[in-house]
Amino acid sequence: MDAGLAAVIGAAIGTLGGFGGGLVTAMSQGLQQRRQRQIDRELRLEEARRNAYGKCINTSKQVSAAWWKLAASLRAEGSTEEQWREPAADAHAAWAPFSSAVAEVTVVGPAFVADAADALRRAMYALDMAGTAWHEAARQAGVGRLEDFDAQYMQAVEVKRAPGGAFQAAARRALQAES
């Protein structure tokens, strides 16, 4: 083998080695970039879920608190329609952010958390309807202390506790926050 042929073969081997090394490097980088994109996507989804779940819990508490304020006002001896007006408006206004938060949960999922959020929404709707019925009856009667409506409201308060706890448990499970 003469020196010229050896040089050509050596150059060809070097070129193929360089090309092969470059190809392996490019494939490895592509795989790493795909893995990083998947990790980033998972982190964004987890953050979106944390935010949505927290918002749902927070707004459900706001709805409950607003109805408790109205219930206290309705129960107050000698209270008037004028005294019920602001807490009633606050209770009604609290519903839209809660409903929106539940919708957000259904978007970010997963399905078992969305189902738990929907069960909570239905329970909160029953609370909202019981409070609304009590307020309307009080306005018509001119007196807030209406025992039957108070009892229906308290029953709705009790019924919403289980779906509230179930939603929180589902959120913890989805976020793998169980200890």
Side-chain angles (χ1 to χ4, degrees), residues 45-51 53-54 110 112-113 169-178:
L45 180 58
E46 182 178 344
E47 182 179 354
R49 285 178 172 170
R50 282 185 189 283
N51 290 338
Y53 301 166
F112 70 91
V113 180
R172 283 192 309 273
R173 189 172 129 214
L175 296 172
Q176 299 175 348
E178 295 289 338

Side-chain angles (χ1 to χ4, degrees), residues 31 45 49 52 64 100 106-107 111 115 124-125 129 166 171:
L31 181 61
L45 180 58
R49 285 178 172 170
S64 292
S100 176
T106 64
V107 169
D115 292 345
M124 295 299 291
Y125 182 75
M129 291 296 95

Side-chain angles (χ1 to χ4, degrees), residues 127-171:
L127 174 72
D128 192 70
M129 291 296 95
T132 298
W134 185 6
H135 179 241
E136 288 301 316
R139 287 178 58 214
Q140 289 177 4
V143 61
R145 295 182 64 109
L146 301 170
E147 298 303 321
D148 288 346
F149 287 96
D150 191 345
Q152 290 171 11
Y153 168 79
M154 289 308 295
Q155 181 180 10
V157 166
E158 190 59 38
V159 167
K160 79 168 179 63
R161 287 194 174 120
F167 173 73
Q168 291 178 31

Side-chain angles (χ1 to χ4, degrees), residues 13-31:
I13 290 173
T15 300
L16 287 175
F19 177 73
L23 184 60
V24 168
T25 299
M27 289 173 56
S28 176
Q29 286 177 345
L31 181 61

Side-chain angles (χ1 to χ4, degrees), residues 47-127:
E47 182 179 354
R49 285 178 172 170
R50 282 185 189 283
N51 290 338
Y53 301 166
K55 189 177 190 181
C56 187
I57 291 167
N58 185 33
T59 56
S60 75
K61 301 296 183 190
Q62 290 174 4
V63 170
S64 292
W67 280 111
W68 273 110
K69 285 168 82 175
L70 179 56
S73 179
L74 290 166
R75 288 181 187 122
E77 189 68 43
S79 64
T80 65
E81 185 176 340
E82 181 61 35
Q83 293 168 315
W84 310 327
R85 188 169 290 129
E86 184 178 339
D90 291 345
H92 291 294
W95 181 258
F98 169 69
S99 181
S100 176
V102 170
E104 192 173 332
V105 169
T106 64
V107 169
V108 298
F112 70 91
V113 180
D115 292 345
D118 189 54
L120 176 58
R121 183 196 56 76
R122 286 190 310 271
M124 295 299 291
Y125 182 75
L127 174 72

